[in-house]
Coordinates of all heavy atoms in Angstrom, one line a residue:
M1 N 36.8 -0.9 6.3 CA 36.2 -0.2 5.2 C 34.8 -0.7 5.1 O 34.5 -1.9 5.2 CB 37.0 -0.6 3.9 CG 36.5 0.2 2.7 SD 37.5 -0.1 1.2 CE 38.6 1.2 1.4
T2 N 33.8 0.2 4.9 CA 32.4 -0.1 4.9 C 32.0 -0.5 3.5 O 32.7 -0.2 2.5 CB 31.5 1.0 5.4 OG1 31.6 2.1 4.4 CG2 31.9 1.5 6.8
I3 N 30.8 -1.1 3.4 CA 30.3 -1.4 2.0 C 30.1 -0.1 1.2 O 30.4 -0.1 0.0 CB 28.9 -2.2 2.2 CG1 29.2 -3.5 2.8 CG2 28.2 -2.3 0.9 CD1 28.0 -4.3 3.1
R4 N 29.6 0.9 1.9 CA 29.4 2.2 1.1 C 30.8 2.7 0.6 O 30.8 3.2 -0.5 CB 28.8 3.2 2.0 CG 27.3 3.0 2.2 CD 26.6 4.2 2.7 NE 25.2 4.0 2.9 CZ 24.3 4.1 2.0 NH1 24.5 4.4 0.8 NH2 23.0 3.9 2.4
E5 N 31.8 2.6 1.4 CA 33.1 3.1 0.9 C 33.6 2.3 -0.3 O 34.2 2.8 -1.2 CB 34.1 3.0 2.1 CG 33.9 4.1 3.1 CD 34.7 3.9 4.4 OE1 35.3 2.8 4.5 OE2 34.8 4.8 5.2
T6 N 33.4 0.9 -0.2 CA 33.8 0.1 -1.4 C 32.9 0.3 -2.6 O 33.3 0.1 -3.7 CB 33.8 -1.4 -1.0 OG1 32.5 -1.8 -0.6 CG2 34.9 -1.7 0.1
A7 N 31.7 0.8 -2.4 CA 30.8 1.0 -3.5 C 30.9 2.3 -4.1 O 30.3 2.6 -5.2 CB 29.3 0.8 -3.0
M8 N 31.7 3.2 -3.5 CA 31.8 4.6 -4.1 C 32.3 4.6 -5.5 O 31.7 5.3 -6.3 CB 32.7 5.4 -3.2 CG 32.0 5.8 -1.9 SD 30.3 6.4 -2.0 CE 30.6 8.1 -2.4
P9 N 33.3 3.8 -5.9 CA 33.7 3.8 -7.3 C 32.5 3.3 -8.2 O 32.3 3.9 -9.2 CB 34.9 2.8 -7.4 CG 35.4 2.8 -6.0 CD 34.3 3.0 -5.1
S10 N 31.8 2.4 -7.7 CA 30.6 1.9 -8.4 C 29.5 3.0 -8.5 O 28.9 3.1 -9.5 CB 30.0 0.7 -7.7 OG 30.9 -0.4 -7.8
A11 N 29.4 3.8 -7.4 CA 28.4 4.9 -7.4 C 28.8 5.9 -8.4 O 27.9 6.5 -9.1 CB 28.3 5.5 -6.0
S12 N 30.1 6.2 -8.5 CA 30.5 7.2 -9.5 C 30.3 6.7 -10.9 O 29.9 7.4 -11.8 CB 32.0 7.5 -9.3 OG 32.3 8.0 -8.1
F13 N 30.5 5.4 -11.1 CA 30.3 4.8 -12.4 C 28.8 4.8 -12.7 O 28.4 5.2 -13.8 CB 30.8 3.3 -12.4 CG 30.6 2.6 -13.7 CD1 31.3 2.9 -14.8 CD2 29.7 1.6 -13.8 CE1 31.2 2.3 -16.0 CE2 29.5 0.9 -15.0 CZ 30.2 1.2 -16.1
A14 N 27.9 4.5 -11.7 CA 26.5 4.5 -11.9 C 26.0 6.0 -12.2 O 25.2 6.2 -13.1 CB 25.8 4.0 -10.7
N15 N 26.6 6.9 -11.5 CA 26.2 8.3 -11.7 C 26.5 8.8 -13.1 O 25.7 9.5 -13.8 CB 26.9 9.2 -10.7 CG 26.4 10.6 -10.7 OD1 25.3 10.8 -11.0 ND2 27.2 11.6 -10.3
A16 N 27.7 8.3 -13.7 CA 28.1 8.7 -15.0 C 27.1 8.1 -16.0 O 26.7 8.7 -17.0 CB 29.5 8.2 -15.3
K17 N 26.6 6.9 -15.8 CA 25.6 6.2 -16.6 C 24.3 6.9 -16.5 O 23.6 7.1 -17.6 CB 25.5 4.8 -16.3 CG 26.6 3.9 -16.7 CD 26.2 2.4 -16.6 CE 27.2 1.6 -17.4 NZ 26.6 0.4 -17.8
L18 N 23.9 7.3 -15.3 CA 22.6 8.0 -15.1 C 22.6 9.3 -15.9 O 21.6 9.7 -16.4 CB 22.4 8.3 -13.7 CG 22.0 7.0 -12.8 CD1 21.9 7.4 -11.3 CD2 20.7 6.4 -13.3
Q19 N 23.7 10.0 -15.9 CA 23.8 11.3 -16.7 C 23.6 11.1 -18.2 O 23.2 12.1 -18.8 CB 25.1 12.0 -16.3 CG 25.1 12.5 -14.9 CD 26.5 13.2 -14.6 OE1 27.4 13.2 -15.4 NE2 26.6 13.7 -13.4
Q20 N 23.8 10.0 -18.7 CA 23.7 9.7 -20.1 C 22.2 9.4 -20.5 O 21.9 9.4 -21.7 CB 24.6 8.6 -20.5 CG 26.0 8.9 -20.4 CD 26.9 7.6 -20.7 OE1 26.4 6.6 -21.1 NE2 28.2 7.7 -20.5
L21 N 21.4 9.1 -19.5 CA 20.0 8.7 -19.8 C 19.1 9.9 -20.1 O 19.3 11.0 -19.7 CB 19.4 8.0 -18.6 CG 20.0 6.6 -18.2 CD1 19.3 6.1 -16.9 CD2 19.9 5.6 -19.3
S22 N 18.1 9.6 -21.0 CA 17.1 10.6 -21.3 C 16.2 10.8 -20.1 O 16.2 9.9 -19.2 CB 16.3 10.2 -22.5 OG 15.6 9.0 -22.2
E23 N 15.4 11.8 -20.1 CA 14.5 12.1 -19.0 C 13.5 11.0 -18.7 O 13.4 10.6 -17.5 CB 13.8 13.5 -19.2 CG 13.2 14.1 -18.0 CD 14.2 14.4 -16.9 OE1 15.3 14.8 -17.2 OE2 13.9 14.2 -15.7
P24 N 12.9 10.4 -19.7 CA 11.9 9.3 -19.4 C 12.6 8.1 -18.8 O 12.1 7.5 -17.9 CB 11.3 9.0 -20.8 CG 11.5 10.2 -21.6 CD 12.8 10.9 -21.1
L25 N 13.8 7.8 -19.3 CA 14.5 6.6 -18.8 C 15.0 6.9 -17.4 O 15.0 6.0 -16.5 CB 15.7 6.2 -19.7 CG 15.3 5.6 -21.0 CD1 16.6 5.3 -21.8 CD2 14.6 4.3 -20.8
L26 N 15.4 8.1 -17.1 CA 15.9 8.5 -15.8 C 14.7 8.4 -14.8 O 14.9 7.9 -13.6 CB 16.4 9.9 -15.8 CG 17.1 10.4 -14.5 CD1 18.3 9.5 -14.2 CD2 17.6 11.8 -14.7
Q27 N 13.5 8.8 -15.2 CA 12.3 8.6 -14.4 C 12.0 7.2 -14.1 O 11.6 6.8 -13.0 CB 11.1 9.3 -15.0 CG 9.8 9.3 -14.2 CD 10.1 10.0 -12.8 OE1 10.6 11.1 -12.8 NE2 9.7 9.3 -11.7
E28 N 12.2 6.3 -15.1 CA 12.0 4.9 -14.9 C 13.0 4.3 -13.9 O 12.6 3.5 -13.1 CB 12.1 4.2 -16.3 CG 11.6 2.7 -16.3 CD 11.6 2.1 -17.6 OE1 11.5 2.9 -18.6 OE2 11.8 0.9 -17.7
V29 N 14.2 4.7 -14.0 CA 15.2 4.3 -13.0 C 14.8 4.7 -11.6 O 14.9 4.0 -10.6 CB 16.6 4.7 -13.4 CG1 17.6 4.5 -12.3 CG2 17.1 4.1 -14.7
T30 N 14.4 6.0 -11.5 CA 14.0 6.5 -10.2 C 12.8 5.7 -9.6 O 12.8 5.4 -8.4 CB 13.7 8.0 -10.3 OG1 14.8 8.7 -10.9 CG2 13.2 8.6 -9.0
D31 N 11.9 5.4 -10.5 CA 10.7 4.6 -10.0 C 11.1 3.3 -9.5 O 10.6 2.8 -8.5 CB 9.7 4.5 -11.2 CG 9.0 5.8 -11.5 OD1 9.1 6.8 -10.7 OD2 8.4 5.9 -12.6
F32 N 12.1 2.7 -10.3 CA 12.6 1.3 -9.9 C 13.3 1.4 -8.5 O 13.1 0.5 -7.7 CB 13.5 0.7 -11.0 CG 14.0 -0.6 -10.6 CD1 13.1 -1.7 -10.6 CD2 15.3 -0.8 -10.2 CE1 13.6 -3.0 -10.2 CE2 15.8 -2.1 -9.9 CZ 14.9 -3.2 -9.9
I33 N 14.1 2.4 -8.3 CA 14.8 2.6 -7.1 C 13.8 2.7 -5.9 O 13.9 2.1 -4.9 CB 15.8 3.7 -7.1 CG1 16.9 3.4 -8.1 CG2 16.3 4.1 -5.7 CD1 17.8 4.6 -8.4
D34 N 12.7 3.5 -6.2 CA 11.7 3.7 -5.1 C 11.0 2.4 -4.8 O 10.7 2.0 -3.7 CB 10.6 4.7 -5.6 CG 11.2 6.1 -5.6 OD1 12.2 6.4 -5.0 OD2 10.6 7.0 -6.3
F35 N 10.7 1.6 -5.9 CA 10.1 0.3 -5.7 C 11.0 -0.7 -4.9 O 10.5 -1.3 -3.9 CB 9.9 -0.4 -7.1 CG 9.6 -1.9 -7.0 CD1 8.3 -2.3 -6.6 CD2 10.5 -2.8 -7.4 CE1 8.0 -3.6 -6.5 CE2 10.2 -4.1 -7.3 CZ 9.0 -4.6 -6.8
V36 N 12.3 -0.7 -5.1 CA 13.2 -1.5 -4.4 C 13.3 -1.1 -2.9 O 13.2 -1.9 -2.0 CB 14.6 -1.5 -5.0 CG1 15.7 -2.2 -4.1 CG2 14.6 -2.2 -6.4
I37 N 13.3 0.2 -2.7 CA 13.3 0.7 -1.3 C 12.0 0.3 -0.6 O 12.1 -0.2 0.5 CB 13.5 2.2 -1.3 CG1 15.0 2.6 -1.7 CG2 13.2 2.8 0.1 CD1 15.2 4.0 -2.0
H38 N 10.9 0.5 -1.2 CA 9.6 0.2 -0.6 C 9.5 -1.3 -0.3 O 9.1 -1.8 0.7 CB 8.5 0.6 -1.6 CG 7.1 0.2 -1.0 ND1 6.5 0.8 0.0 CD2 6.3 -0.8 -1.5 CE1 5.4 0.3 0.3 NE2 5.2 -0.7 -0.6
K39 N 9.9 -2.2 -1.3 CA 9.9 -3.6 -1.1 C 10.8 -4.0 0.1 O 10.3 -4.9 0.9 CB 10.5 -4.3 -2.4 CG 10.5 -5.8 -2.4 CD 11.0 -6.3 -3.7 CE 11.4 -7.7 -3.6 NZ 12.0 -8.2 -4.8
H40 N 11.9 -3.4 0.2 CA 12.8 -3.7 1.4 C 12.1 -3.3 2.7 O 12.2 -4.0 3.7 CB 14.1 -3.1 1.2 CG 15.1 -3.3 2.3 ND1 15.7 -4.6 2.5 CD2 15.6 -2.6 3.3 CE1 16.4 -4.5 3.6 NE2 16.4 -3.3 4.0
Q41 N 11.5 -2.1 2.7 CA 10.9 -1.7 3.9 C 9.7 -2.5 4.3 O 9.5 -2.8 5.5 CB 10.4 -0.2 3.7 CG 11.6 0.8 3.7 CD 11.1 2.2 3.3 OE1 10.0 2.4 2.7 NE2 12.0 3.1 3.6
V42 N 9.0 -3.1 3.3 CA 7.8 -3.9 3.6 C 8.4 -5.2 4.2 O 7.8 -5.8 5.2 CB 7.0 -4.2 2.3 CG1 6.0 -5.4 2.5 CG2 6.3 -3.0 1.9
K43 N 9.5 -5.8 3.7 CA 10.0 -7.0 4.2 C 10.4 -6.8 5.7 O 10.2 -7.7 6.5 CB 11.2 -7.5 3.4 CG 10.8 -8.2 2.1 CD 12.0 -8.7 1.4 CE 11.7 -9.3 0.1 NZ 12.8 -9.8 -0.7
I44 N 11.0 -5.7 6.0 CA 11.5 -5.4 7.4 C 10.2 -5.3 8.3 O 10.2 -5.8 9.4 CB 12.3 -4.1 7.4 CG1 13.7 -4.3 6.8 CG2 12.5 -3.6 8.9 CD1 14.5 -3.0 6.6
A45 N 9.2 -4.6 7.8 CA 8.0 -4.4 8.6 C 7.3 -5.7 8.9 O 6.8 -6.0 10.0 CB 7.0 -3.5 7.9
E46 N 7.3 -6.6 7.9 CA 6.7 -7.9 8.0 C 7.4 -8.8 9.0 O 6.9 -9.6 9.7 CB 6.5 -8.6 6.7 CG 5.4 -8.0 5.8 CD 5.4 -8.6 4.4 OE1 6.3 -9.3 4.0 OE2 4.4 -8.3 3.7
S47 N 8.8 -8.7 9.0 CA 9.6 -9.6 9.8 C 9.6 -9.1 11.3 O 10.0 -9.9 12.2 CB 11.0 -9.7 9.3 OG 11.7 -8.4 9.4
Q48 N 9.2 -7.8 11.5 CA 9.3 -7.3 12.9 C 7.9 -6.8 13.3 O 7.4 -5.8 12.8 CB 10.2 -6.1 13.0 CG 11.7 -6.5 12.7 CD 12.6 -5.3 12.6 OE1 12.1 -4.2 12.7 NE2 13.9 -5.6 12.5
P49 N 7.1 -7.6 14.1 CA 5.8 -7.2 14.4 C 5.8 -5.9 15.2 O 6.7 -5.6 15.9 CB 5.2 -8.3 15.3 CG 6.5 -9.0 15.8 CD 7.5 -8.8 14.8
D50 N 4.8 -5.1 15.0 CA 4.6 -3.8 15.6 C 4.3 -4.1 17.1 O 3.3 -4.7 17.5 CB 3.4 -3.1 15.0 CG 3.2 -1.7 15.6 OD1 4.0 -1.2 16.4 OD2 2.1 -1.1 15.3
E51 N 5.2 -3.6 18.0 CA 5.1 -3.9 19.4 C 3.8 -3.3 20.0 O 3.2 -3.9 20.9 CB 6.3 -3.3 20.1 CG 7.6 -4.1 19.8 CD 7.6 -5.6 20.1 OE1 7.0 -6.0 21.1 OE2 8.1 -6.3 19.2
T52 N 3.4 -2.2 19.5 CA 2.2 -1.6 20.0 C 1.0 -2.5 19.7 O 0.1 -2.7 20.5 CB 1.9 -0.2 19.3 OG1 3.1 0.6 19.5 CG2 0.7 0.5 19.8
L53 N 0.9 -3.0 18.5 CA -0.1 -3.9 18.1 C -0.1 -5.2 18.9 O -1.1 -5.7 19.4 CB 0.0 -4.3 16.6 CG -1.1 -5.1 16.0 CD1 -2.5 -4.4 16.1 CD2 -0.8 -5.4 14.5
V54 N 1.1 -5.7 19.1 CA 1.2 -6.9 20.0 C 0.7 -6.7 21.4 O 0.0 -7.5 22.0 CB 2.7 -7.4 20.0 CG1 2.9 -8.5 21.0 CG2 3.1 -7.9 18.6
G55 N 1.1 -5.5 21.9 CA 0.6 -5.1 23.2 C -0.9 -5.0 23.3 O -1.5 -5.4 24.3
K56 N -1.5 -4.4 22.3 CA -2.9 -4.2 22.3 C -3.6 -5.5 22.3 O -4.7 -5.7 23.0 CB -3.4 -3.3 21.1 CG -2.9 -1.9 21.2 CD -3.6 -1.1 22.3 CE -3.1 0.3 22.3 NZ -3.6 1.0 23.5
W57 N -3.1 -6.4 21.4 CA -3.8 -7.8 21.4 C -3.6 -8.5 22.7 O -4.6 -9.1 23.1 CB -3.2 -8.6 20.2 CG -3.8 -8.3 18.9 CD1 -3.3 -7.7 17.8 CD2 -5.2 -8.7 18.5 NE1 -4.2 -7.7 16.8 CE2 -5.4 -8.3 17.2 CE3 -6.2 -9.4 19.2 CZ2 -6.6 -8.5 16.5 CZ3 -7.4 -9.6 18.5 CH2 -7.6 -9.1 17.2
S58 N -2.5 -8.4 23.3 CA -2.3 -9.0 24.6 C -3.3 -8.5 25.7 O -3.9 -9.2 26.4 CB -0.9 -8.8 25.1 OG 0.0 -9.4 24.3
Q59 N -3.5 -7.1 25.7 CA -4.4 -6.5 26.6 C -5.8 -7.0 26.3 O -6.6 -7.3 27.2 CB -4.4 -5.0 26.5 CG -3.2 -4.4 27.0 CD -3.1 -2.9 26.8 OE1 -4.0 -2.3 26.0 NE2 -2.2 -2.2 27.4
W60 N -6.2 -7.1 25.0 CA -7.5 -7.6 24.6 C -7.7 -9.0 25.1 O -8.8 -9.3 25.7 CB -7.7 -7.5 23.1 CG -9.1 -7.9 22.7 CD1 -10.2 -7.1 22.7 CD2 -9.5 -9.2 22.2 NE1 -11.3 -7.7 22.2 CE2 -10.9 -9.0 21.9 CE3 -8.9 -10.4 22.0 CZ2 -11.7 -10.1 21.5 CZ3 -9.7 -11.4 21.6 CH2 -11.0 -11.3 21.3
F61 N -6.8 -9.9 24.9 CA -6.9 -11.3 25.3 C -7.0 -11.4 26.8 O -7.8 -12.2 27.4 CB -5.8 -12.2 24.8 CG -6.0 -12.6 23.4 CD1 -5.1 -12.2 22.4 CD2 -7.0 -13.4 23.0 CE1 -5.3 -12.5 21.1 CE2 -7.2 -13.8 21.7 CZ -6.3 -13.4 20.7
E62 N -6.3 -10.6 27.6 CA -6.3 -10.6 29.0 C -7.7 -10.1 29.5 O -8.3 -10.7 30.4 CB -5.3 -9.7 29.6 CG -3.9 -10.3 29.5 CD -2.8 -9.3 29.9 OE1 -3.1 -8.3 30.5 OE2 -1.6 -9.6 29.6
A63 N -8.2 -9.1 28.8 CA -9.6 -8.6 29.2 C -10.6 -9.6 28.9 O -11.6 -9.9 29.7 CB -9.9 -7.3 28.5
V64 N -10.5 -10.3 27.8 CA -11.6 -11.3 27.4 C -11.5 -12.5 28.3 O -12.5 -13.0 28.7 CB -11.4 -11.7 25.9 CG1 -12.2 -13.0 25.6 CG2 -11.8 -10.6 25.0
D65 N -10.3 -12.9 28.7 CA -10.1 -14.0 29.6 C -10.7 -13.8 31.0 O -11.1 -14.7 31.7 CB -8.6 -14.4 29.7 CG -8.1 -15.1 28.5 OD1 -8.9 -15.6 27.7 OD2 -6.8 -15.1 28.4
S66 N -10.8 -12.5 31.4 CA -11.3 -12.2 32.7 C -12.8 -12.0 32.7 O -13.4 -11.8 33.8 CB -10.6 -10.9 33.3 OG -10.9 -9.8 32.5
L67 N -13.4 -12.0 31.6 CA -14.9 -11.8 31.5 C -15.6 -13.0 32.1 O -15.2 -14.2 31.9 CB -15.4 -11.6 30.1 CG -14.9 -10.3 29.4 CD1 -15.4 -10.4 27.9 CD2 -15.5 -9.1 30.0
E68 N -16.7 -12.7 32.8 CA -17.6 -13.8 33.3 C -18.7 -13.9 32.3 O -19.4 -13.0 32.0 CB -18.0 -13.5 34.7 CG -16.9 -13.5 35.7 CD -17.4 -13.5 37.1 OE1 -18.6 -13.9 37.4 OE2 -16.7 -13.0 38.0
V69 N -19.0 -15.2 32.0 CA -20.1 -15.5 31.0 C -21.2 -16.2 31.8 O -20.9 -17.2 32.4 CB -19.5 -16.3 29.9 CG1 -20.6 -16.6 28.9 CG2 -18.4 -15.6 29.2
S70 N -22.4 -15.6 31.7 CA -23.5 -16.3 32.3 C -24.1 -17.3 31.3 O -24.1 -17.1 30.1 CB -24.6 -15.3 32.8 OG -25.0 -14.5 31.7
P71 N -24.8 -18.3 31.8 CA -25.4 -19.3 30.8 C -26.5 -18.6 30.0 O -27.2 -17.7 30.5 CB -26.0 -20.4 31.7 CG -25.9 -19.9 33.1 CD -25.0 -18.7 33.1
P72 N -26.7 -19.0 28.8 CA -27.7 -18.3 28.0 C -29.1 -18.7 28.5 O -29.4 -19.7 29.0 CB -27.5 -18.9 26.6 CG -26.8 -20.3 26.8 CD -26.0 -20.1 28.1
E73 N -30.0 -17.7 28.2 CA -31.4 -17.9 28.6 C -32.0 -18.9 27.6 O -31.6 -18.9 26.4 CB -32.1 -16.5 28.4 CG -33.6 -16.6 28.8 CD -34.2 -15.2 28.6 OE1 -33.6 -14.2 28.9 OE2 -35.4 -15.2 28.1
S74 N -32.9 -19.7 28.0 CA -33.5 -20.7 27.1 C -34.1 -20.0 26.0 O -35.0 -19.1 26.1 CB -34.5 -21.5 27.9 OG -35.2 -22.4 27.0
V75 N -33.8 -20.4 24.8 CA -34.3 -19.7 23.6 C -35.8 -20.0 23.4 O -36.6 -19.2 23.1 CB -33.5 -20.2 22.3 CG1 -34.2 -19.7 21.1 CG2 -32.1 -19.8 22.4
S76 N -36.2 -21.2 23.7 CA -37.6 -21.6 23.5 C -38.5 -20.8 24.4 O -39.6 -20.4 24.1 CB -37.8 -23.1 23.6 OG -37.4 -23.5 24.9
N77 N -38.1 -20.6 25.7 CA -38.9 -19.9 26.7 C -39.0 -18.4 26.3 O -40.1 -17.9 26.3 CB -38.3 -20.0 28.1 CG -38.5 -21.3 28.7 OD1 -39.4 -22.1 28.2 ND2 -37.8 -21.7 29.7
S78 N -38.0 -17.8 25.9 CA -38.0 -16.4 25.5 C -38.8 -16.2 24.2 O -39.5 -15.2 24.1 CB -36.6 -15.8 25.4 OG -35.9 -16.4 24.4
Y79 N -38.7 -17.1 23.3 CA -39.4 -17.0 22.1 C -40.9 -17.2 22.3 O -41.8 -16.5 21.8 CB -38.9 -18.1 21.1 CG -39.6 -18.0 19.7 CD1 -39.4 -17.0 18.9 CD2 -40.5 -19.0 19.4 CE1 -40.0 -16.9 17.6 CE2 -41.2 -18.9 18.1 CZ -40.9 -17.9 17.2 OH -41.5 -17.8 16.0
S80 N -41.3 -18.2 23.1 CA -42.7 -18.4 23.5 C -43.3 -17.3 24.2 O -44.4 -16.9 23.9 CB -42.8 -19.7 24.4 OG -42.3 -20.8 23.7
T81 N -42.5 -16.6 25.1 CA -43.0 -15.5 25.8 C -43.3 -14.3 24.9 O -44.3 -13.7 25.0 CB -42.0 -15.1 26.9 OG1 -41.7 -16.2 27.7 CG2 -42.5 -13.9 27.7
S82 N -42.3 -14.1 24.0 CA -42.5 -12.9 23.1 C -43.7 -13.2 22.1 O -44.4 -12.3 21.7 CB -41.2 -12.6 22.3 OG -40.9 -13.6 21.4
I83 N -43.9 -14.4 21.7 CA -45.0 -14.7 20.8 C -46.3 -14.6 21.5 O -47.3 -14.0 21.0 CB -44.9 -16.2 20.2 CG1 -43.7 -16.4 19.4 CG2 -46.1 -16.6 19.5 CD1 -43.7 -15.7 18.0
G84 N -46.3 -15.0 22.8 CA -47.6 -14.9 23.6 C -47.9 -13.5 23.9 O -49.1 -13.1 24.0
N85 N -46.9 -12.6 24.0 CA -47.2 -11.2 24.3 C -47.7 -10.4 23.1 O -48.4 -9.4 23.2 CB -45.9 -10.5 24.8 CG -45.5 -11.0 26.2 OD1 -46.4 -11.5 26.9 ND2 -44.3 -10.8 26.5
K86 N -47.5 -10.9 21.9 CA -47.9 -10.2 20.7 C -49.4 -10.6 20.3 O -50.0 -9.8 19.5 CB -47.0 -10.5 19.5 CG -45.6 -9.9 19.8 CD -44.8 -9.8 18.6 CE -43.4 -9.3 19.0 NZ -42.8 -8.5 18.2
G87 N -49.8 -11.7 20.7 CA -51.1 -12.1 20.2 C -52.2 -11.9 21.0 O -52.9 -11.2 21.5

């Protein structure tokens, strides 16, 4: 027997209660249910990283690791040269 099957009497009971609610209260219950569903989906999404994103980051790190970096040009020489050319 599944949880849903055992919950069916409870669902019928809840349905009877929902039918007694006024429209504004019914909307509030609906909003709360939407909130609970969204909250649960966010927890699932946070606990399971997006495989596409993980793959993209891995590719980026691999690409960066393979880059060759040349030593920087001396700042004082390039600054002196550009100052000398302007004057």
Side-chain angles (χ1 to χ4, degrees):
M1 185 175 270
T2 67
I3 292 175
R4 286 200 183 269
E5 290 170 344
T6 59
M8 289 314 276
S10 297
S12 297
F13 181 70
N15 191 27
K17 285 190 165 209
L18 288 172
Q19 289 178 358
Q20 295 173 6
L21 294 177
S22 64
E23 196 62 36
L25 288 177
L26 190 57
Q27 184 59 49
E28 191 173 333
V29 170
T30 302
D31 291 344
F32 180 72
I33 292 170
D34 290 343
F35 166 75
V36 171
I37 291 170
H38 177 72
K39 180 180 165 185
H40 180 69
Q41 289 171 341
V42 167
K43 283 183 181 179
I44 290 172
E46 288 174 350
S47 67
Q48 299 173 351
D50 182 9
E51 293 303 319
T52 304
L53 186 60
V54 170
K56 294 292 182 187
W57 274 111
S58 294
Q59 288 175 353
W60 184 83
F61 280 114
E62 288 172 12
V64 168
D65 287 343
S66 67
L67 291 176
E68 291 192 25
V69 180
S70 59
E73 183 182 321
S74 173
V75 174
S76 61
N77 287 343
S78 63
Y79 182 72
S80 301
T81 304
S82 66
I83 295 290
N85 290 341
K86 295 198 183 214

